[in-house]
């Protein structure tokens, strides 16, 4: 653009802007300095979240749902939350099936013999200990598999590919997750003897991404595994050579009824026991391949730390309830059990953290329509953390979802998901993937939300700072 033209545009635009700034802009929203101080203290000094996620991942490790490891995690949680000064710390148990992984391996038998890395998907059927051998049949997507005649699939091992790439909002997980979620059922109904999918992940490491799937519509369970992205790409190259490809697949696993899990609940009691409460949390269970640092040790750590910062500041009007949900990964068992027991209670907000620990970049809440004044106050107080309001956002969260469906108003704080699916559900989901500075930004954001929605914090005698 020519400078003269640009100048003319600027001049012609100027009066309109000036006019609007005087007459029609809403009054400025100024954040209460006490809330700003709480936010900035959490951002600069929080140690609670790191302390929780470091302790949980180090002292418990992996926490597969309904196993003895998850039970140890609940014991750890009760001790930790009690030591931090929370009230009403208790476990609410529930029953569920338990699925555990056994021996697993895969190799190409012909035409180019070689090992392929693999991990079973949740609720996979089991191969016999010696494994199965079958010809591979390739599909570019679940839709391609669905369109195939049964005769193309029967007696074979199905391989389903996809094309997920990293995005900030993680939008690909829904669509590109179909091979994992629906692929095994469709393959089984068409008579396949096994199924392997390209991992629902965006990294290029040799780590398979596990995750849950269910056999529905009467499909009989068949062995179902995930291949790391580089191994899936290797398999595509091998298949492109045009010769029949035979795979030997061993995926031993066990499923049984009669497992036990539970939700761990803790509170910062409000001054008014009848005021609608603030429900926040994350999930305590993890997949079994790693220590579940980003999924979801970080989520329980962030929300617990935020509640603790309010506790340190004094007594909120509303009760803050923190839930470390059990058994989210195999299908949201903890969230459903919680809603069954507590869905009819009155909530001022419900929200969860379950998308890692990178910076929160936007938020959305039902309050944008039901309570615009509070929405603008949240937006103003979160803006210094780099968090934008998202007017079109939706409720999310497996754990608080059923409680939201029962009527609780929701808030979603969205972390940057660009690198989330690099480690999600892999052996790489470990503590070193958490950036302590970004973790503190998360704590600051949740602390701000709690402070604004608390109904006011009455400073009393200081709580001792216990860890
Ligand atoms: Zn999770």
């Amino acid at each position: 653009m020519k400078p003269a033209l640009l100048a003319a545009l600027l001049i012609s635009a100027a009066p309109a802007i000036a006019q609007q700034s005087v007459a029609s802009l809403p009054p400025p929203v100024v954040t209460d300095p006490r809330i700003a101080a709480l936010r900035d203290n959490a951002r600069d000094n929080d140690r609670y979240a790191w302390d929780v996620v470091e302790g949980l991942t180090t002292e418990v490790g992996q926490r597969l749902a309904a196993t003895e490891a998850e039970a140890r995690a609940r014991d750890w949680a009760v001790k930790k939350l009690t030591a931090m000064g929370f009230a009403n710390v208790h476990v609410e148990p529930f029953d569920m099936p338990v699925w555990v992984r056994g021996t697993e391996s895969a190799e190409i038998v012909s035409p180019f013999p070689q090992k392929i890395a693999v991990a079973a998907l949740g609720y996979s059927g089991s191969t016999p200990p010696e494994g199965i051998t079958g010809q591979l049949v390739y599909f570019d997507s679940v839709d391609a598999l669905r369109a195939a005649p049964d005769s193309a699939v029967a007696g074979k091992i199905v391989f389903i590919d996809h094309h997920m790439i990293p995005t900030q909002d993680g939008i690909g997980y829904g669509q590109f997750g179909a091979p994992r979620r629906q692929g095994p059922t469709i393959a089984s109904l068409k008579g396949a003897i096994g199924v392997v999918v390209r991992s629902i992940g965006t990294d290029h490491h040799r780590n398979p991404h596990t995750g849950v799937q269910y056999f529905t519509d009467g499909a009989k369970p068949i062995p179902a595994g995930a291949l790391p992205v580089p191994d899936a790409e290797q398999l595509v190259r091998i298949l492109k050579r045009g010769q029949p490809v035979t795979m030997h697949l061993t995926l031993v696993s066990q499923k049984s009824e009669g497992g036990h899990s539970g939700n761990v609940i803790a509170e910062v009691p409000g001054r008014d026991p009848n005021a609608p409460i603030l429900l926040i949390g994350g999930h305590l269970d993890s997949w079994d391949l790693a220590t579940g640092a980003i999924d979801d040790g970080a989520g329980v750590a962030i929300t617990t730390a935020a509640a603790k910062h309010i506790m340190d500041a004094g007594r909120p009007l509303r009760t803050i309830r923190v839930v470390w949900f059990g058994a989210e990964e195999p299908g949201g068992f903890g969230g459903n059990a919680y809603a069954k027991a507590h869905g009819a209670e009155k909530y001022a907000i419900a929200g969860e953290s379950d998308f890692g620990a990178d910076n929160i970049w936007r938020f959305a809440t039902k309050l944008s329509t039901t309570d615009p004044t509070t929405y603008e106050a949240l937006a103003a107080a979160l803006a210094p953390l780099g968090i934008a309001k998202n007017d079109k956002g939706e409720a999310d969260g497996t754990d608080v979802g059923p409680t939201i469906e029962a009527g609780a108003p929701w808030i979603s704080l969205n972390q940057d998901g660009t690198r989330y699916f690099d480690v999600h559900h892999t052996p790489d989901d470990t503590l070193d993937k958490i950036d302590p500075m970004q973790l503190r930004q998360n704590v600051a954001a949740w602390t701000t939300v709690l402070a604004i929605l608390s109904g006011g914090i009455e400073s009393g005698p200081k709580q001792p700072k216990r860890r």
Side-chain angles (χ1 to χ4, degrees):
M1 193 178 285
K2 287 178 184 163
L5 181 58
L6 178 63
L9 281 173
L10 286 174
I11 288 161
S12 68
I17 291 166
Q19 229 170 15
Q20 191 196 19
S21 70
V22 176
S24 61
L25 284 181
V29 181
V30 178
T31 301
D32 181 326
R34 289 166 301 178
I35 290 174
L38 270 172
R39 175 194 64 208
D40 295 347
N41 176 54
R43 180 195 60 200
D44 298 339
N45 304 314
D46 177 69
R47 300 275 309 173
Y48 298 131
W50 183 265
D51 185 50
V52 168
V53 69
E54 192 269 349
L56 182 64
T57 55
T58 303
E59 295 170 21
V60 182
Q62 70 86 12
R63 308 172 292 283
L64 187 66
T67 65
E68 164 279 332
E70 197 201 28
R72 269 191 287 121
R74 284 193 294 281
D75 292 345
W76 190 93
V78 167
K79 269 192 205 127
K80 187 69 183 177
L81 290 160
T82 305
M84 289 175 82
F86 284 89
N88 306 332
V89 180
H90 67 283
V91 176
E92 296 188 356
F94 53 86
D95 298 331
M96 59 177 291
V98 54
W99 177 90
V100 284
R101 171 189 318 280
T103 312
E104 45 197 20
S105 67
E107 61 259 358
I108 303 302
V109 179
S110 67
F112 312 126
Q114 56 190 281
K115 286 189 174 173
I116 296 283
V118 68
L121 298 172
Y123 296 129
S124 166
S126 182
T127 65
E130 67 277 13
I132 56 170
T133 302
Q135 191 182 332
L136 272 183
V137 53
Y138 173 86
F139 296 98
D140 188 42
S141 66
V142 154
D143 285 336
L145 169 63
R146 202 177 269 128
D150 292 5
S151 59
V153 172
K156 295 180 177 157
I157 298 175
V158 163
F159 167 37
I160 314 169
D161 205 1
H162 67 83
H163 308 277
M164 181 173 168
I165 58 163
T167 57
Q168 191 173 17
D169 63 2
I171 190 155
Y173 189 53
Q175 182 180 340
F176 294 111
R180 188 192 88 202
R181 297 190 196 99
Q182 286 113 50
T185 289
I186 299 168
S188 171
L189 290 172
K190 287 178 182 288
I193 59 168
V195 56
V196 290
V197 304
R198 173 174 162 142
S199 281
I200 312 308
T202 52
D203 62 306
H204 283 264
H205 295 278
R206 292 197 69 193
N207 293 325
H209 297 235
T210 189
V212 78
Q213 61 82 42
Y214 306 100
F215 290 99
T216 59
D217 304 312
K220 102 177 179 336
I222 56 173
L227 310 179
V229 169
D231 295 59
E233 291 179 348
Q234 171 81 338
L235 213 46
V236 170
R237 282 191 297 274
I238 292 172
L239 284 157
K240 274 192 177 156
R241 298 299 200 268
Q243 301 173 52
V245 177
T246 305
M247 176 179 263
H248 181 233
L249 182 64
T250 306
L251 291 175
V252 175
S253 63
Q254 271 191 326
K255 187 188 170 196
S256 55
E257 302 301 320
H260 308 285
S261 182
N263 294 323
V264 183
I265 298 182
E267 290 181 344
V268 181
R271 303 194 303 278
D272 178 359
N274 297 317
I277 67 176
L278 308 175
L279 171 67
I280 56 169
H283 65 86
L284 179 56
D285 69 309
S286 75
W287 279 107
D288 52 343
L289 301 178
T291 60
I294 68 154
D295 189 12
D296 186 27
V300 296
I302 289 161
T303 49
T304 301
K308 173 68 172 151
H309 284 289
I310 304 298
M311 193 199 303
D312 289 347
R315 287 195 77 192
L317 181 78
R318 301 182 188 285
T319 293
I320 301 169
R321 183 178 295 162
V322 183
V323 184
W324 296 20
F325 292 92
E328 187 270 351
E329 295 293 0
F333 290 90
N336 285 325
Y338 178 85
K340 210 171 155 193
H342 301 283
E345 290 171 38
K346 286 211 173 98
Y347 296 92
I349 208 75
E352 71 181 57
S353 175
D354 188 13
F355 201 52
D358 280 352
N359 279 331
I360 294 167
W361 63 288
R362 68 177 182 183
F363 83 103
T365 172
K366 188 179 185 185
L367 302 181
S368 64
T369 51
T370 58
D371 185 355
T373 306
T374 302
Y375 178 51
E376 293 305 331
L378 286 166
L382 291 170
L385 297 172
I387 300 168
K389 56 181 177 171
N390 175 17
D391 295 336
K392 296 192 182 77
E394 289 169 359
D396 64 13
T398 306
D399 288 313
V400 294
T403 302
I404 290 166
E405 264 169 45
W410 54 271
I411 190 162
S412 305
L413 303 186
N414 302 138
Q415 286 109 339
D416 187 328
T418 310
R419 63 184 191 129
Y420 184 69
F421 292 106
D422 289 353
V423 290
H424 178 249
H425 296 182
T426 74
D428 245 357
D429 181 1
T430 48
L431 185 68
D432 53 300
K433 307 309 180 303
I434 294 179
D435 171 3
M437 196 187 283
Q438 297 195 63
L439 183 71
R440 291 201 303 270
Q441 188 260 14
N442 277 258
V443 177
W446 281 101
T447 302
T448 305
V449 168
L450 293 180
I452 287 180
L453 301 181
S454 66
I457 303 164
E458 213 165 69
S459 50
K462 277 265 179 228
Q463 300 261 358
K465 280 202 179 186
R466 283 176 290 186
R467 292 229 169 90

